[in-house]
Amino acid sequence: MNICSSKVLIVVWVVILIVTGRPVCSQGLVFSSFEQVQEKRTSLNLSDKEPWCLDGDFGMSFQFSFYPDKQVYYGYLLRMVNQHGQNIDLIYNNQNQQFNIVSGGNYMDLSFTIDSSLLFRKWNTCALEYKDQTLSLFINGRSCGGRQLALRDHCFLISFGASQLPNFKSSDLPPMKLKDVSLHHGSKQYAFWPLKEVDGNLAIDSIGGKKALVTNPIWETPLHQRWQLLQTVTVKGNGSYTFNPLEEEVYMVGSDSIHRFLLRDRSLSADGLSKPVFLARGFQSIYNPADKTLYSIHIDKREITAFLFGAKKWDQQIDSLEVTQYWQSNKFINQRENALYVLGGYGQLKYKNLVQRCSFNDRKWEEVKVQQQDYKPRYLAALGTKAGGDTAYILGGYGSNTGEQMLNPRYYYDLLMFDVKNREIKKIYTLMEPEEPFVFASSMVIDTSDNSYYALIFPNDRFRSALQLIKGSLHEPTYQPAADTIPYAFADNLSSADLFYCARSNQLLAITQLTAKDRSTEVRIYSLAFPPQQLQEGATAATSAAGWYNRPRYLLIIALIGVAVALFVFLRKYLIRKPLPAITKLPDEPAVPALPTVNTVPVKPVAPVAEQWQDPKEGKAILTLFGEFTVRDKDSNALTHLFSPLIKEMFLLIVIHTARTGKGISTEKLYEVLWYDKSERDARNNRSVNMVKLKGILEKLGTGVIQREDGKWKFVYDPALLWVDLMEFYALSKSNNLTTNELHTLLNILKEGTFLFRTEYLWLEDIKSEVSSQVLDILLREIGQLPGNASPDTFIEIANAIFVFDPIHEDALRWKCRNLIQLNRLTLAKSVYEKFCKDYRHIYGESFNTSFQEIIS
């Protein structure tokens, strides 16, 4: 048996990289394996219906790697079957960690092994050559020998992964990635599949245009460009979260339980506490890998408490009732000292630059005196460490040189280095100030391989914000964006976000949190394959290269839409002035003095509601179209990622037309929108294939089917099992006078955001406009019908909902500011007014000429 030496393979691979100068690319096809049921596993069929007939001597090559941190590694990478039923298979068996060539039910004594550092982290080139009735095997340019094989013909059906070939069916395959599949004769290529597609079920041969069929594809490139929402968890009380890098597990701490999300199999579990506790607002959690223990941190009381999973309780009583003075502080663990460090924060109108230390050994706290001149008081900064935590980097933030919030607060864009051993903080550089200011999520990832960092930035002047990943240098003041954005509800001291690196699975995790004061906390977990990639403008699958954006008639439509939008803005500004309903006159007040800008974002007050009101979503699966398109089953497991772009668009067409008319959408309309460039037969085939896939997703949802009635496709479901916000919205819109509970339900729908935020289709534009107009009409009607003694919180919450759909609605500004003043929140009213002025200038290009005093009078 000829087994290639792993050391030789490493040398060969390095030589290949040096000679070609090609970095390891992330493009390729990812294969679902044993983590999925058999019918959901991935296959690539190069042959479609006709075999590949290869003249005389021939060869095949491809590049592959294995996906890390999976439970089972076994099965077929490649199957080739000729017209006489002779097979050539490449299989892998994890028991002996060996790849083997099999033919006719026998091992051919052609095998190889690959070092795990290459198998899981690098692309490996495998080549088969058939010449003079001898099959030879090569791995990464190294020969693994040859064996005699008499083939009766050279016409092959060829598949990778799960095989559906007649008499050679198999669903056993290792979790792998594949790219650059080539068929050749000497130096002449028959076909080459780069597998660069980003969606769809076809892979295109770049030489002859031959189509390979992919079943259950996961295209690699989008995994590096688009964040995937893995899980949404709601815990009781003022929750917190932390990350266990050893097991790649997220802990979410609530007042009555500890939820655990394991990245490896995306499983979610919960450990109920033997006795519920009250968690103060602003407490934090951290996992210490040294003693493999989860801790809760209460900075103000200088307490740290360990969770005992066996006893299901905290080892010390948690009695902290105060709100923290260290919002959005940074923290890290120094392994050498086995100690926790906490830096900065904000509270009681003061920014901090304290460095505090707590030893895990004796749980004693101390304030660390550090040598520094540049670490100004701040919060909303990012912190990351090198391995071991002896060197920490602090990036950016918001604060002031004195620490006083009222004295010239500002944004910081400096990168600082904290030498823990020598207790010294030094500035490395300052980034160029951006046109639009931003702050940072609490933690960042340091990559010492190229002296870079990854951090999440976001604007802190709005509630409906978004996190953008950036990559920067530790030595030069440069950075660039990577991947798409993550929706982020920023409410200052009610929200937080962090970024973590998963070494085992080689991906980034982003976690966001939003707390409803003392009641519940929502935690969202997102993943992105590492290393991240920049989004390519207009990047599409090869199958859609002749898409709508290449067609002149659609450019004309886009231009007309632009003119219509401009005309609407003009009419909205100069001609449309809705009358303001009468409100209780405020007592005369002295002129309001100008106040310095305060870096806070208004937190939406919750309107008091009837005691009997219950969340209609509770205990149900959900389908939400307001805000981000989201699908979750009744156990809150995310299903959104299962929708490919085409299936998502088809599903939305059916659901929206069902909700609007109750009848659904016609087959002709579906074909016109989705498959306008295909014949009726091809369109019908595409529809059938994607309907089957959609049915599989709906089965996971637990309810819902697509039915055809009177020539139209409609979405039918059990409302007791599934909550669809659009259906609820249209039902509520039919009432001319909503009850208190109905109003609260409507506001809970609308607070998620505008209709199908960040989902853009040409056919959807008019529908979005129609929905927005309906929303505004209903909200203006309801606020106009409120009695004079209605709670100010109710006015404020409706005004907040109006701002979601019209951020420069002047009447909503008046309602919100006046009612904030009734609640003695003058500073917050001033901040709302200033943000309105900023948005007004951004949209209209001119100043808002109504003074704050006029707004509130």
Side-chain angles (χ1 to χ4, degrees):
M1 182 177 294
N2 188 355
I3 302 178
C4 302
S5 167
S6 61
K7 293 183 179 180
V8 172
L9 288 177
I10 295 175
V11 174
V12 170
W13 185 252
V14 171
V15 170
I16 291 172
L17 289 179
I18 293 174
V19 172
T20 63
R22 293 172 60 187
V24 176
C25 299
S26 62
Q27 67 190 26
L29 175 64
V30 178
F31 285 71
S32 294
S33 180
F34 291 93
E35 73 277 6
Q36 293 283 359
V37 296
Q38 291 90 327
E39 58 267 28
K40 299 297 183 181
R41 298 175 188 176
T42 305
S43 67
L44 170 65
N45 187 350
L46 302 186
S47 312
D48 199 6
K49 298 178 181 178
E50 297 296 328
W52 280 93
C53 292
L54 309 172
D55 299 330
D57 301 332
F58 63 88
M60 160 179 275
S61 66
F62 56 91
Q63 294 192 46
F64 75 97
S65 67
F66 276 6
Y67 238 72
D69 206 25
K70 299 294 184 182
Q71 292 183 336
V72 181
Y73 292 91
Y74 169 78
Y76 293 85
L77 283 77
L78 168 68
R79 304 207 80 166
M80 302 176 61
V81 182
N82 67 11
Q83 299 298 286
H84 286 81
Q86 294 177 287
N87 64 299
I88 301 173
D89 301 331
L90 174 62
I91 63 174
Y92 179 76
N93 188 343
N94 191 53
Q95 289 186 345
N96 53 19
Q97 298 183 346
Q98 191 174 79
F99 296 84
N100 297 93
I101 297 294
V102 173
S103 182
N106 297 306
Y107 290 101
M108 288 193 65
D109 200 20
L110 286 175
S111 62
F112 62 89
T113 60
I114 301 179
D115 185 88
S116 60
S117 63
L118 292 177
L119 183 58
F120 293 99
R121 297 292 180 181
K122 302 292 184 181
W123 288 106
N124 301 276
T125 301
C126 179
L128 295 172
E129 299 288 343
Y130 185 77
K131 184 177 182 180
D132 298 331
Q133 295 192 342
T134 298
L135 181 66
S136 301
L137 173 65
F138 301 85
I139 181 69
N140 291 334
R142 175 77 176 181
S143 173
C144 295
R147 295 294 180 269
Q148 289 290 314
L149 179 64
L151 294 175
R152 298 175 64 182
D153 70 79
H154 293 182
C155 292
F156 290 93
L157 297 175
I158 305 171
S159 72
F160 290 84
S163 173
Q164 297 297 321
L165 302 182
N167 301 319
F168 288 89
K169 291 186 177 183
S170 173
S171 59
D172 295 334
L173 71 152
M176 63 179 181
K177 298 184 291 184
L178 184 73
K179 71 169 187 172
D180 294 351
V181 179
S182 174
L183 298 176
H184 59 272
H185 172 65
S187 59
K188 178 184 177 182
Q189 276 189 316
Y190 292 106
F192 180 71
W193 292 269
L195 301 181
K196 292 182 179 180
E197 286 75 13
V198 295
D199 60 15
N201 294 84
L202 295 177
I204 307 301
D205 158 31
S206 62
I207 295 177
K210 297 292 182 65
K211 297 177 181 179
L213 178 64
V214 190
T215 304
N216 302 317
I218 303 176
W219 298 105
E220 172 106 12
T221 297
L223 298 181
H224 293 256
Q225 296 177 336
R226 301 189 183 278
W227 291 94
Q228 298 183 71
L229 176 60
L230 302 182
Q231 189 63 260
T232 300
V233 179
T234 300
V235 300
K236 289 187 177 180
N238 297 305
S240 183
Y241 60 82
T242 189
F243 179 64
N244 173 1
L246 301 178
E247 295 297 327
E248 296 189 349
E249 190 170 30
V250 179
Y251 297 101
M252 291 150 282
V253 178
S255 60
D256 65 346
S257 60
I258 309 294
H259 287 73
R260 297 190 289 180
F261 176 75
L262 186 62
L263 184 61
R264 183 182 310 119
D265 57 7
R266 300 188 179 182
S267 62
L268 181 66
S269 59
D271 295 292
L273 271 63
S274 58
K275 181 180 179 181
V277 297
F278 178 81
L279 300 171
R281 292 177 61 202
F283 95 99
Q284 298 185 45
S285 301
I286 198 164
Y287 182 85
N288 184 6
D291 56 15
K292 299 182 179 179
T293 301
L294 169 67
Y295 291 92
S296 67
I297 308 163
H298 304 261
I299 305 172
D300 303 78
K301 296 181 72 69
R302 293 198 163 188
E303 292 179 349
I304 184 169
T305 307
F307 186 73
L308 307 175
F309 279 99
K312 297 184 178 180
K313 67 177 184 179
W314 298 98
D315 68 351
Q316 293 181 12
Q317 183 177 352
I318 297 176
D319 59 1
S320 178
L321 299 178
E322 296 88 353
V323 174
T324 184
Q325 297 186 46
Y326 296 93
W327 295 110
Q328 307 284 7
S329 59
N330 301 110
K331 60 184 183 293
F332 70 94
I333 292 176
N334 179 276
Q335 295 180 9
R336 177 176 52 83
E337 301 175 358
N338 193 29
L340 169 71
Y341 281 80
V342 179
L343 287 77
Y346 164 80
Q348 297 298 316
L349 303 181
K350 289 184 179 293
Y351 307 105
K352 317 302 196 291
N353 62 347
L354 293 178
V355 179
Q356 302 181 72
R357 177 185 180 274
C358 175
S359 171
F360 286 106
N361 298 323
D362 55 17
R363 302 193 188 181
K364 290 184 177 180
W365 288 73
E366 63 174 324
E367 184 175 326
V368 179
K369 300 298 182 182
V370 297
Q371 304 175 50
Q372 69 90 16
Q373 295 179 339
D374 301 302
Y375 182 42
K376 305 302 182 184
R378 68 187 70 187
Y379 79 142
L380 295 173
L383 185 145
T385 67
K386 291 185 176 180
D390 275 329
T391 302
Y393 293 90
I394 308 157
L395 179 60
Y398 190 89
S400 71
N401 291 346
T402 64
E404 295 289 336
Q405 181 177 344
M406 306 302 289
L407 298 179
N408 194 27
R410 51 165 294 194
Y411 292 87
Y412 292 101
Y413 299 101
D414 48 359
L415 178 67
L416 310 173
M417 184 182 71
F418 178 19
D419 184 341
V420 177
K421 186 176 182 179
N422 295 315
R423 298 195 169 185
E424 183 179 17
I425 296 178
K426 293 182 178 180
K427 182 164 75 173
I428 301 176
Y429 60 68
T430 299
L431 296 172
M432 181 180 297
E433 189 161 334
E435 291 184 7
E436 293 292 332
F438 57 77
V439 291
F440 295 83
S442 298
S443 54
M444 62 180 176
V445 172
I446 304 299
D447 187 353
T448 55
S449 66
D450 61 355
N451 291 312
S452 65
Y453 66 81
Y454 293 89
L456 293 168
I457 64 174
F458 65 96
N460 64 325
D461 61 351
R462 65 204 66 172
F463 177 73
R464 294 294 173 187
S465 190
L467 297 167
Q468 172 66 63
L469 181 69
I470 63 170
K471 179 181 181 180
S473 167
L474 294 176
H475 300 311
E476 303 292 334
T478 59
Y479 64 90
Q480 61 184 10
D484 63 350
T485 58
I486 299 172
Y488 181 43
F490 177 68
D492 206 28
N493 57 9
L494 297 178
S495 59
S496 60
D498 279 278
L499 181 69
F500 302 104
Y501 174 63
C502 305
R504 288 170 56 166
S505 56
N506 200 32
Q507 56 188 316
L508 293 173
L509 278 191
I511 304 178
T512 67
Q513 173 179 291
L514 181 65
T515 299
K517 182 182 176 182
D518 297 341
R519 295 184 304 174
S520 64
T521 300
E522 182 184 77
V523 179
R524 295 189 176 190
I525 304 170
Y526 299 82
S527 71
L528 182 74
F530 192 86
Q533 289 185 356
Q534 285 183 287
L535 283 174
Q536 300 298 320
E537 292 296 330
T540 59
T543 55
S544 60
W548 62 266
Y549 47 84
N550 287 326
R551 301 188 176 215
R553 63 189 180 97
Y554 285 103
L555 295 178
L556 176 59
I557 293 174
I558 292 173
L560 292 175
I561 291 174
V563 172
V565 170
L567 180 60
F568 171 80
V569 171
F570 174 83
L571 294 175
R572 167 70 177 80
K573 178 181 177 185
Y574 291 105
L575 300 182
I576 301 175
R577 287 291 185 266
K578 292 181 182 285
L580 186 68
I583 65 172
T584 304
K585 186 179 185 302
L586 296 176
D588 293 334
E589 292 185 64
V592 180
L595 297 175
T597 301
V598 179
N599 183 44
T600 58
V601 175
V603 178
K604 286 184 183 177
V606 178
V609 297
E611 288 293 328
Q612 68 270 22
W613 186 88
Q614 292 183 346
D615 188 347
K617 302 188 297 294
E618 191 167 345
K620 299 179 183 179
I622 67 166
L623 166 59
T624 60
L625 280 70
F626 284 89
E628 295 277 343
F629 171 71
T630 304
V631 185
R632 296 202 300 263
D633 65 20
K634 64 181 180 61
D635 297 319
S636 295
N637 296 312
L639 303 178
T640 315
H641 64 281
L642 300 177
F643 288 80
S644 69
L646 180 57
I647 294 178
K648 174 184 174 182
E649 186 173 5
M650 182 178 71
F651 184 54
L652 287 175
L653 277 164
I654 297 171
V655 170
I656 292 172
H657 283 80
T658 302
R660 292 176 73 210
T661 67
K663 299 178 180 179
I665 185 172
S666 67
T667 302
E668 293 75 18
K669 185 65 175 178
L670 271 181
Y671 290 175
E672 178 186 339
V673 174
L674 300 177
W675 298 290
Y676 57 86
D677 57 344
K678 298 185 181 300
S679 66
E680 183 175 350
R681 178 182 178 183
D682 288 340
R684 183 170 59 251
N685 290 338
N686 275 274
R687 186 206 71 211
S688 299
V689 169
N690 286 284
M691 283 291 186
V692 171
K693 294 179 180 179
L694 179 56
K695 179 182 177 182
I697 298 174
L698 295 178
E699 288 174 353
K700 293 179 180 292
L701 189 60
T703 182
V705 294
I706 306 298
Q707 291 183 356
R708 189 178 183 186
E709 296 179 7
D710 299 325
K712 292 189 175 183
W713 299 92
K714 63 186 300 185
F715 178 58
V716 180
Y717 66 99
D718 185 352
L721 301 177
L722 175 65
W723 191 81
V724 183
D725 62 355
L726 184 61
M727 301 288 191
E728 297 291 332
F729 168 76
Y730 277 117
L732 292 170
S733 67
K734 295 176 182 178
S735 173
N736 291 324
N737 190 3
L738 299 178
T739 66
T740 302
N741 284 346
E742 288 173 338
L743 176 60
H744 192 66
T745 299
L746 175 66
L747 293 175
N748 270 270
I749 293 173
L750 302 181
K751 74 178 183 181
E752 294 301 320
T754 56
F755 184 62
L756 285 174
F757 176 63
R758 295 204 309 172
T759 298
E760 303 294 338
Y761 307 117
L762 279 178
W763 60 266
L764 188 59
E765 293 300 323
D766 289 340
I767 298 175
K768 279 190 172 185
S769 177
E770 174 187 292
V771 171
S772 295
S773 296
Q774 284 183 276
V775 167
L776 291 173
D777 289 342
I778 295 170
L779 293 175
L780 291 171
R781 181 196 69 205
E782 290 299 316
I783 202 169
Q785 293 176 352
L786 288 177
N789 61 350
S791 166
D793 286 330
T794 305
F795 281 96
I796 292 170
E797 190 171 18
I798 297 178
N800 282 334
I802 293 173
F803 279 140
V804 170
F805 292 85
D806 185 355
I808 52 170
H809 197 288
E810 297 176 24
D811 291 347
L813 176 66
R814 289 186 171 89
W815 283 313
K816 184 166 184 177
C817 289
R818 292 179 183 181
N819 284 278
L820 283 172
I821 290 175
Q822 286 193 29
L823 294 173
N824 295 319
R825 303 176 74 176
L826 176 62
T827 302
L828 188 53
K830 181 68 174 178
S831 296
V832 172
Y833 172 78
E834 290 173 346
K835 181 182 183 302
F836 183 95
C837 293
K838 181 179 179 180
D839 291 339
Y840 191 95
R841 171 173 284 278
H842 178 73
I843 293 174
Y844 288 147
E846 62 186 54
S847 299
F848 181 58
N849 55 16
T850 305
S851 69
F852 179 65
Q853 188 61 41
E854 291 173 314
I855 288 293
I856 65 175
S857 61

